[in-house]
Amino acid sequence: MSALAPIGAIGRGTLAAMSSVGRVTLFALSALAHMIRPPFYPRELAVALLNIGWLSLPVVGLTAIFTGAALALQIYSGGARFNAEAVVPQIVAIGMVRELGPVLVGLMIAARVTSSIAAEIATMKVTEQIDALVTLSTHPMKYLVAPRVLAALLVVPLLVGIGDIIGIFGGYAVATGSLGFNAAAYLKNTVDFLEPLDVISSLVKGCAFGGIAALMGCYFGMQSGRGAQGVGRATKGSVEAAAVLILAANFLLTGAFFSL
Amino acid sequence: MIDLAHVQKTFGSNTVLRDVSLTIPKGTSMVIIGGSGTGKSVLLKCILGLVTPDAGVISLDGQDVTTADRDAFLARFGMLFQGAALFDSLPVWQNVAFRLLRGSLQRPRAEAREIAIEKLRRVGLKPDVADRLPAELSGGMQKRVGLARAIAAEPEIIFFDEPTTGLDPIMAGVINDLIREIVTEMGATAMTITHDMSSVRAIADNVAMLHDGVIQWTGPVAQMDHSGDPYVDQFISGRATGPIEAVR
């Protein structure tokens, strides 16, 4: 084996990674272009809004309420070490709105929606339904991708907002129910402590994470290989990519909003 | 008229179409035969623009298909896919009327539904099938729905990709007869790819045999049994010995 072989392997890996980034970027730009150019498919958009938004509410709500409740317990017990139990409302609010709400909703959407989109589109590809769309004069990017990505961009921020509220309510329920907090004071502290930028950052993160989740589902679905294995690989790859990109985007957006 | 001149297509190191030249006169039914993996589906997808050929020219009525207006070009085609390729999420009537519910051929919803039901009747399905989902239908019924969708917009050219694959001999015969009747009554140009010889005899005016990336033989279906071509003879008689390798 040549001494340069490891360098060659690193080079090939780098080129493959850059090539993937390029393909995903071109795919995203194409999806955006199809979103703003007619024809539009309002029925497909409505179905996507229902699937991504309304039908995700139960999982988002349950995730948020348990996280908010656990967060309240953790802050209360951790704060007791330095007599800071009283900060539970503020930390639950800031933790849920700035960080946990958007990230957990994003990851739940990646698990629920990205996998579903990737499996559906990959199956359509394997069974020639995508080819059938083309022969019926319908562009797959316009009919399948644009409505799903647009729906996610519109509806995931709403889900994040709802998740934030439910998460705060989870903390409120535990704090007032078993930790002895006064209900009115808890709510006042929560509202007083939150700033508009906290809420704006949460909603912007929701929009970004929704876009990533839907885009990865569509991309991996459209790139799927043949057969059941191809569908399985597309689904697994889409969820992995969406989860990692959501966490990376969260770091970048948090830095952009709060590091200055 | 569909004209293919020196069409080539390679996937990686696998050359599927080496040099395919073929003419399909207007209003005739051409059946492409050949073994599995010989590139029949690729050839059909090249004509439709689903696969881009590496070289060669494909023209429709004298116009290069790569320079034609894509929507206008595709509006002239109907296609029945091997697995029917029905959209799972749409009821049968919306599958059939897909092209009539959107795009340049869009009709009012009620009218599109009427046309869909009429086309379903034409392929021997009752109107109560219209509101069912494709997954609720048998393979033969799905093929019929696919056929109804292919003819819904009264196309000038219809492609059939392995129309009888996976069907029992009786249902295969029904589909073959339907294709022949529909192509004749519509006056459409048809191109079918198959390795089912009963389909060939039922559907074809002309036959072309694709093997090793080229058209080995082409001629009227009546001459097929006396073509004198060893590839055609081996294929239609189903012999394991001959110029076509049995293990590919």
Side-chain angles (χ1 to χ4, degrees):
Chain A
M1 192 170 87
S2 158
L4 292 175
I7 297 171
I10 292 169
R12 279 192 296 277
T14 307
L15 284 174
M18 296 308 291
S19 164
S20 296
V21 170
R23 279 197 299 270
V24 170
T25 306
L26 288 175
F27 186 83
L29 291 174
S30 172
L32 285 172
H34 284 290
M35 241 182 264
I36 55 175
R37 284 204 317 254
F40 304 112
Y41 295 104
R43 184 188 170 277
E44 298 307 308
L45 179 63
V47 170
L49 286 170
L50 181 75
N51 282 334
I52 299 172
W54 181 251
L55 297 178
S56 295
L57 270 176
V59 70
V60 164
L62 288 169
T63 304
I65 200 163
F66 288 126
T67 304
L71 192 58
L73 290 174
Q74 287 280 18
I75 294 162
Y76 187 79
S77 96
R81 294 177 189 171
F82 44 94
N83 298 320
E85 299 96 323
V87 297
V88 168
Q90 292 91 332
I91 304 294
V92 166
I94 204 167
M96 282 307 302
V97 172
R98 279 189 177 194
E99 199 64 33
L100 288 174
V103 169
L104 288 176
V105 169
L107 291 177
M108 284 297 121
I109 293 296
R112 187 185 173 277
V113 173
T114 307
S115 57
S116 153
I117 290 175
E120 184 182 1
I121 294 180
T123 304
M124 288 183 76
K125 189 173 180 201
V126 167
T127 56
E128 295 187 303
Q129 291 178 52
I130 305 257
D131 285 346
L133 274 179
V134 176
T135 63
L136 292 164
S137 308
T138 304
H139 201 300
M141 288 295 286
K142 250 183 218 317
Y143 185 75
L144 295 174
V145 177
R148 285 165 172 79
V149 175
L150 181 58
L153 288 171
L154 292 174
V155 86
V156 175
L158 290 177
L159 286 174
V160 167
I162 293 167
D164 291 347
I165 293 167
I166 294 175
I168 290 170
F169 174 76
Y172 165 87
V174 167
T176 58
S178 62
L179 301 178
F181 279 75
N182 175 275
Y186 189 102
L187 289 178
K188 185 174 186 312
N189 280 335
T190 299
V191 173
D192 286 350
F193 192 72
L194 280 177
E195 292 179 359
L197 186 62
D198 299 330
V199 178
I200 291 168
S201 74
S202 191
L203 300 181
V204 169
K205 282 182 176 183
C207 188
F209 299 167
I212 289 169
L215 209 55
M216 287 302 103
C218 294
Y219 174 76
F220 278 86
M222 296 289 268
Q223 301 294 321
S224 158
R226 288 184 176 184
Q229 196 177 39
V231 176
R233 277 190 184 152
T235 308
K236 184 183 70 176
S238 69
V239 175
E240 286 172 352
V244 170
L245 285 176
I246 283 169
L247 293 172
N250 179 57
F251 169 70
L252 294 174
L253 287 170
T254 301
F257 274 106
F258 300 113
S259 68
L260 295 177
Chain B
M1 184 173 78
I2 302 169
D3 196 41
L4 296 93
H6 309 294
V7 174
Q8 298 172 27
K9 182 66 192 173
T10 298
F11 295 98
S13 59
N14 181 25
T15 299
V16 179
L17 305 177
R18 280 197 296 129
D19 184 4
V20 173
S21 295
L22 184 67
T23 297
I24 305 168
K26 195 167 188 166
T28 63
S29 174
M30 169 68 81
V31 174
I32 313 282
I33 57 173
S36 302
T38 50
K40 303 188 299 294
S41 292
V42 172
L43 181 63
L44 192 146
K45 287 180 180 180
C46 282
I47 298 173
L48 282 169
L50 297 172
V51 171
T52 308
D54 298 329
V57 177
I58 300 171
S59 56
L60 177 62
D61 294 337
Q63 188 182 11
D64 186 341
V65 297
T66 57
T67 60
D69 173 57
R70 189 94 185 110
D71 279 349
F73 169 74
L74 287 170
R76 300 174 68 181
F77 282 88
M79 174 147 179
L80 171 60
F81 284 84
Q82 185 173 351
L86 302 177
F87 304 122
D88 305 326
S89 58
L90 299 179
V92 162
W93 82 265
Q94 287 186 32
N95 265 281
V96 175
F98 192 90
R99 207 194 274 270
L100 306 175
L101 289 167
R102 46 187 69 75
S104 58
L105 300 174
Q106 188 169 10
R107 312 275 179 90
R109 204 169 169 81
E111 187 186 338
R113 185 182 161 90
E114 277 307 306
I115 293 171
I117 289 173
E118 165 56 28
K119 297 300 177 189
L120 286 171
R121 271 203 202 95
R122 179 66 195 87
V123 298
L125 292 171
K126 292 177 184 167
D128 63 352
V129 169
D131 293 312
R132 288 159 72 178
L133 288 169
E136 297 169 334
L137 306 179
S138 68
M141 290 168 89
Q142 288 186 15
K143 276 274 164 73
R144 289 187 197 216
V145 174
L147 183 54
R149 183 173 69 181
I151 62 172
E154 308 274 341
E156 297 167 44
I157 303 154
I158 315 177
F159 285 177
F160 303 97
D161 185 0
E162 307 277 9
T164 56
T165 296
L167 301 179
D168 66 69
I170 295 170
M171 185 53 67
V174 169
I175 295 290
N176 285 336
D177 291 345
L178 268 173
I179 289 173
R180 182 73 255 185
E181 286 169 24
I182 286 168
V183 168
T184 303
E185 77 188 25
M186 289 174 67
T189 306
M191 180 170 158
T192 306
I193 58 175
T194 186
H195 38 60
D196 176 358
M197 293 314 297
S198 61
S199 289
V200 178
R201 295 179 200 286
I203 297 170
D205 294 323
N206 298 301
V207 179
M209 173 148 185
L210 182 64
H211 180 73
D212 200 21
V214 298
I215 299 293
Q216 292 285 352
W217 178 85
T218 185
V221 66
Q223 292 177 14
M224 182 176 67
D225 290 322
H226 315 287
S227 67
D229 183 278
Y231 292 92
V232 175
D233 287 345
Q234 183 188 354
F235 190 83
I236 63 178
S237 62
R239 288 194 314 270
T241 54
I244 304 172
E245 288 180 39
V247 179
R248 291 190 289 270

